[in-house]
Amino acid sequence: MNYCLQGHDRDNGVQEMLISLLPDEPHDRVPELPRGAEGCRSIAWEEAGKILSRAWIRMGEKHAEAQAESLVPTPADGEEYKRILTYTVKTAVYRALLPLLEHKPVWGSLTGVKPAKPARLAIREGMSREGLDAWLRDHYDVSESRRRLCIRAAEYAMEAEDRLLPRETQLYLGIPFCPAKCSYCSFVSNDMARWGHMIEPYTQALLREVEAAGELARTQNIPLGSVYMGGGTPTTLNEDQLLRVLSAVNRGFDLSHCREFTVEAGRPETITGEKLDIMAACGVSRISINPQTMNDAVLRGVGRNHTAADIERCYRMAREKGRFFINMDLIAGLPGDDDAGLIESVRRVAALEPDNITIHCLARKRGARLYFGPTGQLSAETLNACYDHLEKLGYEPYYLYRQKYMAGGLENVGFCKPGTASHYNICMMEELSDVIALGSGGVSKLCWENGRRIHRVANPKYPKEYIERIDLIAEEKRRLPDERQV
Ligand code: SF4
C-alpha cells in the first residue's frame, strides 16, 4: 500500500503498522496520494496540549478514517516526544485500518519483534501483572490470549534474569551449511552439494576462533551460562569435525556454570548414532530435531528431502542414545499446508513427547526463494487451538518473538515442559546477557541496563570471507572490547 505523511516524519511508525497488519504486500512512501487513490494518508498536528493524528485509508472500494490523540509530554521535545508522536500516528493508522481487515489482529497495534521485553521492563519498574494486562489491552488493543502469552514470557525472562551470574555470557557457534536450502529460508545456509568442500576449512577456522574466545573468557573470568551450536545445520559436520569442535569448546572454556549445551541437529538425514554418542560424551544436553511439518508433500514442496517417518525414527534414536532435552520446531503457513495439516503436525509431534516444541509462523523474507511465492493457510484460531492442545498436555509458552512480514501478523512461540525452558533462547531473545558469537554471520552482543543498551560486534557474513580473515577475527576475539567501560 502506498502511504504519504503530512505534518510529521514518523515514516517508520506508519510503515511498521502497515507491515504488521498487511504483511503480504509491499508498502511504499509516496509524496502524496491523488484524491480517490488506494493508500494511506497520515497527518499529525498539535492542539491544546495534545498531539493529534488522523489517518485515511482506501482499499479497493472500501475506505475508512480514524483519529488518535495523546498528551504532549514535558519537555515537548526529545526522545519522549518522538515516542509519543510515533505511538499516536500508529494508533490512528491502526484504527483506520481495523474495519477494513478480515480478522481483528491478535496483537492489536503492538509492533516490534520482542513483545515480552517491554512487558518485563514495565514489571521491573513496578507495574503489576494486572496493570500490564490493562496497559496492553487499552494502549495496544492486544487480545486476551496474546496478553497472557506476553506476560508469561516476561515472567520466564525475569526468572532467567534472576538466575544470571555476574558477567554471565552465552556462547553461540554457527555452522552455516545445510543438506539443501529450504525455500522459506533466508539464512546464509550453504547447500552442501555446492559448498561441501568448504566445511573442513570452515571447521579449522572455527577451531581457531573457539580457542581465541576461550582465552578471552578465561582471562576475563567470564562464566558461560549456556552454549548453543546453531546454523544452518550443525550436524552437517561429519563425526570427526563435530568431535573436534565440541572437544575444543570443552577444552577452551570453563563449563562448570553451564546450564545447557544445545546442538541444533535440525534435519534428520544429517543425524547419525555416532554423532549423538559424540554429543552425549561432550556434554551436549539439548538438541533440536526439526520436522517443520509432518506432511510429506509439504516437506517435499519446500525442498526438505526427508519425511515425517524419518523424523520419528531419528527422534527415537536420540531418546535411546542420550539423556538430551529435545526440541522440535514446526512452521505454520508453509506452502501447501492448511489448518488441518498444522493441527495434525502439532498432534503428531506432541505425541512423541519432546521437552520443547517451538511453533513458528511463516515469515516472508528477502533472500528466501519463497519471498514471491504463495504461502499456506494460517489463521489465529487454528494457532490458538494448537497452543491450547499443547497447554493441555502440560507445555507452557516460555519465549516468543515476532518478525517483519510474518503471516497473519502472528508470532513464534517456544513451549516447554516444566523445568525444560531453554536458558539460551530466553537470554538471547530478551537480551539479558552478553553473547559471544563464533563463526560466519555470528554477532556478539554486549548488553547492559536490562537489555536497554546493546553493543554488537559482527563477524563476516559469508564462510569464504570468514575463512580468509580468520587470523584477524581470532585476534579481535581475544580482546573483544567492552564498550560498557569506554
Ligand atoms: S535447514 Fe534450517 S537453516 Fe538450513 S536451509 Fe532449512 S531452514 Fe534454513
Side-chain angles (χ1 to χ4, degrees), residues 177-182 184-187 189 231-233 267 292 304:
F177 301 97
C178 287
K181 182 121 178 168
C182 307
Y184 53 83
C185 181
S186 66
F187 293 127
S189 44
T233 306
R267 292 166 62 149
Q292 314 300 24
R304 288 176 76 98

Side-chain angles (χ1 to χ4, degrees), residues 431-444:
E431 292 164 331
L432 297 180
S433 71
D434 295 352
V435 178
I436 298 177
L438 313 180
S440 64
V443 181
S444 298

Side-chain angles (χ1 to χ4, degrees), residues 177 196-205 207 237-238 240-241 244 467:
F177 301 97
H197 63 284
M198 286 179 71
I199 297 183
E200 179 51 34
Y202 183 85
T203 303
Q204 290 178 18
L207 290 171
L237 298 186
N238 64 30
D240 172 61
Q241 290 157 342
R244 279 149 62 208
I467 295 166

